[in-house]
């Protein structure tokens, strides 16, 4: 059995919250009062979470909910989906489950992402897409708006389409990997 090495980072480069979230100081968190991080998640440098986008004229409300053990890669943009109605933008909440890994350079405007989902690098997840539990989106995939990705399925291509079913063990594998990655992501000794 092989063990991956510990990934170190300068302690001053990340803010660690009381719930164990590790947020890069080089990430952009807009409207943090409208974003809920479940705990033990990592927000990488250059990532952008747009909690400032919400229904026009509405009171502050949770716009993005991120579960536990999530990894938002470098350069990822997470923004809530929107519709234009009578000339006004209306934003809708986005819910992301536990153990979701979003690869670097991806743009996510989904309505909902289940738990134990892996989104590859440089993907575009269209507005109001729904990705069910234990799904995988291959690198470079473009999911059109309103796409529904079934549980335990692999989608790839542009436009993204079903490629194959994933094994029943997907949840255990992804859960073990995401927890191990978090546990190996440690501040460098100073």
């Amino acid at each position: 059995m092989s063990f991956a090495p510990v990934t170190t980072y300068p302690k001053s480069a990340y803010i660690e919250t009381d719930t164990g979230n590790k947020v890069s100081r080089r990430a952009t968190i807009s409207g943090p009062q409208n974003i809920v991080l479940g705990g033990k998640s990592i927000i990488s440098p250059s990532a952008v979470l747009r909690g400032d986008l919400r229904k026009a004229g509405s009171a502050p409300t949770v716009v993005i909910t991120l579960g536990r053990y999530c990894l938002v890669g470098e350069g990822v943009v997470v923004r809530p989906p929107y519709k234009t109605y009578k000339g006004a933008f209306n934003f809708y909440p986005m819910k992301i489950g536990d153990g979701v890994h979003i690869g670097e350079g991806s743009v996510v405007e989904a309505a909902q992402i289940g738990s134990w989902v892996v989104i590859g690098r440089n993907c575009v997840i269209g507005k109001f897409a729904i990705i069910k539990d234990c799904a995988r989106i291959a690198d470079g995939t473009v999911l059109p708006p309103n796409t529904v990705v079934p549980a335990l399925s692999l989608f790839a291509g542009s436009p993204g389409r079903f490629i194959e079913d994933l094994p029943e063990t997907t949840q255990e594998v992804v859960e073990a990997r995401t927890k191990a990655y978090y546990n190996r992501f440690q501040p460098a000794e100073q």
Side-chain angles (χ1 to χ4, degrees), residues 33-187:
Q33 70 277 13
N34 300 325
I35 299 172
V36 174
L37 302 178
K40 298 190 176 182
S41 290
I42 300 169
I43 310 298
S44 301
S46 304
V48 178
L49 280 87
R50 295 295 309 268
D52 58 329
L53 305 176
R54 53 191 167 83
K55 286 187 180 182
S58 68
T61 182
V62 175
V63 176
I64 298 172
T65 304
L66 193 70
R68 296 172 51 83
Y69 292 104
C70 292
L71 172 61
V72 178
E74 287 196 38
V76 167
V77 176
V78 177
R79 60 181 172 234
Y82 66 88
K83 288 182 182 173
T84 304
Y85 180 70
K86 293 186 177 179
F89 282 109
N90 289 302
F91 292 94
Y92 296 84
M94 175 190 296
K95 181 170 175 30
I96 299 173
D98 295 336
V100 174
H101 180 141
I102 304 173
E104 68 182 48
S106 292
V107 177
V108 178
E109 292 185 281
Q112 182 176 345
I113 299 174
S115 294
W116 318 116
V117 170
V118 177
I119 297 172
R121 296 175 176 205
N122 302 313
C123 292
V124 176
I125 309 301
K127 290 183 274 193
F128 296 102
I130 296 174
I131 302 174
K132 304 284 187 166
D133 293 346
C134 304
R136 188 168 146 240
I137 310 300
D139 291 351
T141 299
V142 177
L143 285 184
N146 303 307
T147 300
V148 176
V149 176
L152 294 168
S153 62
L154 169 63
F155 268 54
S158 179
R161 54 191 159 287
F162 176 81
I163 302 299
E164 65 182 3
D165 289 320
L166 297 174
E168 293 289 326
T169 58
T170 298
Q171 178 177 338
E172 291 81 13
V173 170
V174 175
E175 185 173 0
R177 282 186 189 156
T178 55
K179 288 180 178 181
Y181 185 89
Y182 177 84
N183 291 328
R184 290 190 319 265
F185 192 73
Q186 298 294 324

